[in-house]
Amino acid sequence: EARLLARFDHPSLVKVYRFWEANGSAYMVMPFYEGRTLRDELRRRGGVVDEATLLGWIGPVADALAVVHAELCYHRDIAPDIVMLLDGSNRPLLLDFGAARRVIGDRTQALTAILKPGYAPVEQYGEVPGLKQGPWTDIYALAGVAHFVLRGKTPPPSVGRLINDQYEKLSGSDLEGHFSTRLLAAVDHALAVRPDGRTK
């Protein structure tokens, strides 16, 4: 995790200044961050958020993921309790890269199953032919976070959606008028069950 994070420099990614092994353990030096999780902030607000606030949380995380994805790395564990809003600036910070994996060349190595129901797309539930993990995996999870902000609940678990999709689209719902159709449709698109139907 330290080696991975030390490679990146983005305001919404945890910064690692230095890491080393000693005394039979591993250490890393990072800034001291103070804040609260996105989940806690939503609770504090009583679940009331406007579009500008939502985009202010999700946009920088999406930009940070683009930096990570450019190096063929995937976070694979994004959820409302993995995004911290820093005290003072309210800047979102993506935490916990323990589940992140790197893909080398065109070969996707066997990736362990890391699951947060509602945020984990179907390809994270195991080795399924034709359903590889990639940037679209993190995009699904980030859209799940946006859904949680918009609806106050996670989307239905993706593996169940393959059999009986009970996902209720945000576009065309009662959220229209409070949030732009473009935003709601983008979240719906990113939450497509099959990877080939999602934003890339």
Side-chain angles (χ1 to χ4, degrees):
E1 182 177 2
R3 279 193 183 90
L4 183 66
L5 287 169
R7 299 175 53 195
F8 302 122
D9 188 14
H10 187 280
S12 286
L13 293 175
V14 172
K15 185 66 185 162
V16 171
Y17 294 128
R18 180 168 174 242
F19 60 91
W20 70 97
E21 292 181 39
N23 307 316
S25 188
Y27 304 86
M28 57 182 169
V29 179
M30 305 161 54
F32 178 69
Y33 297 109
E34 285 190 283
R36 66 237 163 268
T37 66
L38 192 148
R39 183 183 297 276
D40 288 341
E41 176 63 11
L42 272 178
R43 195 175 294 126
R44 188 185 73 79
R45 291 171 175 251
V48 178
V49 175
D50 60 21
E51 184 162 337
T53 301
L54 171 59
L55 292 175
W57 293 342
I58 300 295
V61 175
D63 291 343
L65 285 172
V67 170
V68 173
H69 293 164
E71 294 296 320
L72 300 178
C73 294
Y74 316 124
H75 187 285
R76 303 173 59 241
D77 195 25
I78 299 164
D81 52 351
I82 300 296
V83 178
M84 173 187 264
L85 302 173
L86 298 179
D87 287 346
S89 67
N90 227 25
R91 173 169 49 96
L93 188 69
L94 188 58
L95 306 174
D96 193 4
F97 272 74
R101 294 291 182 273
R102 184 154 195 266
V103 176
I104 301 169
D106 290 329
R107 295 176 296 119
T108 46
Q109 57 205 37
L111 298 173
T112 52
I114 307 292
L115 300 173
K116 277 201 172 78
Y119 303 100
V122 68
E123 63 268 23
Q124 280 186 264
Y125 279 81
E127 298 287 326
V128 181
L131 294 181
K132 291 183 178 179
Q133 296 183 39
W136 49 88
T137 303
D138 286 340
I139 287 168
Y140 185 99
L142 187 59
V145 172
H147 185 282
F148 180 78
V149 174
L150 291 162
R151 275 284 180 226
K153 61 182 182 179
T154 60
S158 59
V159 71
R161 293 180 61 198
L162 274 178
I163 300 159
N164 179 20
D165 194 355
Q166 297 188 355
Y167 175 75
E168 296 177 6
K169 291 198 174 223
L170 301 174
S171 53
S173 74
D174 60 322
L175 292 172
E176 293 272 6
H178 301 284
F179 297 91
S180 68
T181 302
R182 182 178 176 190
L183 170 67
L184 299 175
V187 175
D188 287 337
H189 185 65
L191 283 171
V193 180
R194 296 190 63 85
D196 55 9
R198 275 179 234 148
T199 311
K200 292 292 187 275

